[in-house]
Structure formats: C-alpha cells, structure tokens
C-alpha cells in the first residue's frame, strides 16, 4: 500500500535534548512538508522540500532542522533551541507538477517535553 | 501573511441535516482549495478539493468556490454522527507570496458535532 509513515507515534524528550522525527513516503511524491499543530490551532509550516538535497524554511523554522538525502525520506530534528516543542508534528507529501498538488498526511508524531 | 479564516464552532447539527462549513481567504492569487477532515487525535484526511468557481459534488459532500468573494464552503448532506470532526480549510499560496504555489495555508478549523 502506498502511504506516508511517521515514527514514533509518541515521543518524550527532556529539556535540552535534540530529537529526530522520521517521515517516509512511498507515493513517489516530489515534495515533502513538516507542520506542527498546537491545540485549537491550524497547521503551521516548519520546513518543506521540493526535491532531493534541497529544502526551504517555512513560517516557523527556528529551532528545527531537516535533511532530504532521499526522495522517500524527510526527517525533522527538533533541537534544544526550540523553546516550546510540545506539539503534534505532521509530515505531508505532494506532487509538484501536473496535478494541483493535493497534500497527503502521515499519522503524526506527538512530542512531549518533560 | 495571507490568512484563512474559519468559524471555530462548535457547529452542532442533527443527524440527517445539512452541515454548512465556511472559509474565507485573503490571498487573491490562490488557485486551489482543499477541505480536510481531522478526527480528534488523528491526522488530517483530504476529503475535497476544488479549483474552479462553482460547485463540485462528491457523494454527500459539495464544495463551493467563489473567487470574487474569496469564499469557499463545504456542505455535508445527510450528516451522520461519524461526520463529527474538525474540518480544516486549506488554500494554496499565490505566486506573489514568494512561495511555491503548492504550499498551503490552513485555517484553524471548524469543529462539527452531529447529534444523533
């Protein structure tokens, strides 16, 4: 089955630690995205990537880093510089040509800082 | 930054009624519009998308778009308790925003409750 997987589902972090969230897709999509969602809030874009080895900052990139070494994978690192990292993190992917680029989401990772 | 506005709700409708969800957007360059359904604790699921003015129907769902008024809506006919969720409106960013046109701006969502 084609889809997007994220791991882990739940993640607990102590203050001062970096953590990496995994996102993998087998939809052959070019673009991948990371969003965070806080209670009662919409999705806010952290980083996005149109193509392997290239990525751009979204609206709230401070305290986060990403890599795109493979088309299928777009891991997100939440660094200790992120002041309020507790949130629901969502990875998405889409095509970037031909269609109108509907984005499809993975199941999410819920990060809690202890 | 361009915005997408939705009433937060909750919007309560009786089972079998029509639920009407509304969304306005500020970016006149936007060309594609999406509705996502998000159950509590889950990730968003794409249910409808629309690109042209007018109506688009898919089963019990109808998306309506009016670009002149910068307004998009979602109608759910014969509402079921299983439709109870938060509905997110998303709009692509126009070219003059400096972003790729495939980037989306999301509203905060409208919580729908269908009462049996």
């Amino acid at each position: 089955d084609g889809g997007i997987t994220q791991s882990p589902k739940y993640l607990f972090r102590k203050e001062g630690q970096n953590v990496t969230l995994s996102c993998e897709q087998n939809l052959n999509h070019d673009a991948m995205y990371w969003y965070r969602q806080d209670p009662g809030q919409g999705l806010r874009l952290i980083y996005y990537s149109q193509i392997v080895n290239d990525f751009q900052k979204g609206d709230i990139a401070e305290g986060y880093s990403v890599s795109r070494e493979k088309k299928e994978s777009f891991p997100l690192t939440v660094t200790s510089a992120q002041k309020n990292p507790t949130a629901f993190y969502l990875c998405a992917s889409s095509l970037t040509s031909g269609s109108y680029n509907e984005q499809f989401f993975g199941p999410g990772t819920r990060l809690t800082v202890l | 930054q361009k915005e997408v506005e939705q009433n937060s709700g909750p919007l309560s409708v009786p089972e079998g009624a029509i639920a009407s969800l509304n969304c306005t957007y500020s970016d006149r360059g936007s060309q594609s519009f999406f509705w996502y359904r998000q159950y509590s604790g889950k990730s968003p699921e794409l249910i409808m998308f629309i690109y042209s003015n007018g109506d688009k129907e898919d089963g019990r769902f109808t998306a309506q778009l009016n670009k002149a008024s910068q307004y998009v809506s979602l109608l759910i006919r014969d509402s079921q308790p299983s439709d109870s969720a938060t509905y997110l409106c998303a709009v692509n960013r126009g070219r003059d925003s400096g972003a790729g046109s495939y980037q989306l701006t999301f509203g905060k969502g409208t919580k729908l409750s269908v009462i049996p």
Side-chain angles (χ1 to χ4, degrees), chain B residues 17-38:
Chain B
I18 295 175
S20 178
L21 305 164
N22 305 315
C23 172
T24 59
Y25 61 95
S26 62
D27 188 348
R28 287 198 169 274
S30 296
Q31 295 295 322
S32 48
F33 308 86
F34 306 88
W35 283 101
Y36 288 84
R37 177 176 62 199
Q38 186 175 25

Side-chain angles (χ1 to χ4, degrees), chain A residues 29-32 48-52 54-56 68 96, chain B residues 100 102:
Chain A
H29 283 171
D30 308 297
M32 297 185 74
Y48 65 99
S49 168
Q50 291 178 256
I51 194 170
V52 174
D54 186 48
F55 49 83
Q56 286 79 41
R68 186 87 186 275
T96 57
Chain B
Y102 48 87

Side-chain angles (χ1 to χ4, degrees), chain A residues 2 15 20 29 31 33 35 55 58 60-61 69 71 76 81 92 96 101:
Chain A
E15 284 191 20
T20 298
H29 283 171
Y33 314 80
Y35 295 90
F55 49 83
I60 55 165
E69 297 178 0
K71 185 176 184 177
L76 173 74
T96 57
N101 317 132

Side-chain angles (χ1 to χ4, degrees), chain A residues 100 102 104, chain B residues 32-35 46-51 56 63:
Chain A
Y100 283 83
E102 302 93 89
F104 297 93
Chain B
S32 48
F33 308 86
F34 306 88
W35 283 101
L46 180 66
I47 55 171
M48 288 286 290
F49 52 88
I50 186 167
Y51 310 122
K56 178 183 178 182

Side-chain angles (χ1 to χ4, degrees), chain A residues 1-95:
Chain A
D1 287 338
I4 305 172
T5 57
Q6 292 186 242
S7 61
K9 185 175 182 179
Y10 298 97
L11 186 57
F12 298 90
R13 190 195 90 173
K14 293 182 180 179
E15 284 191 20
Q17 288 181 334
N18 293 351
V19 290
T20 298
L21 282 57
S22 169
C23 178
E24 303 275 335
Q25 55 97 2
N26 61 4
L27 300 169
N28 201 31
H29 283 171
D30 308 297
M32 297 185 74
Y33 314 80
W34 275 105
Y35 295 90
R36 72 174 274 169
Q37 186 177 36
D38 296 283
Q41 300 296 312
L43 278 64
R44 292 185 289 168
L45 182 65
I46 304 172
Y47 268 98
Y48 65 99
S49 168
Q50 291 178 256
I51 194 170
V52 174
N53 293 323
D54 186 48
F55 49 83
Q56 286 79 41
K57 293 181 179 180
D59 303 316
I60 55 165
E62 185 176 352
Y64 300 98
S65 66
V66 294
S67 63
R68 186 87 186 275
E69 297 178 0
K70 299 187 301 182
K71 185 176 184 177
E72 300 80 15
S73 178
F74 191 41
L76 173 74
T77 296
V78 183
T79 75
S80 57
Q82 169 50 233
K83 298 304 180 187
N84 187 21
T86 295
F88 188 37
Y89 289 88
L90 291 157
C91 178
S93 69
S94 76
L95 296 170

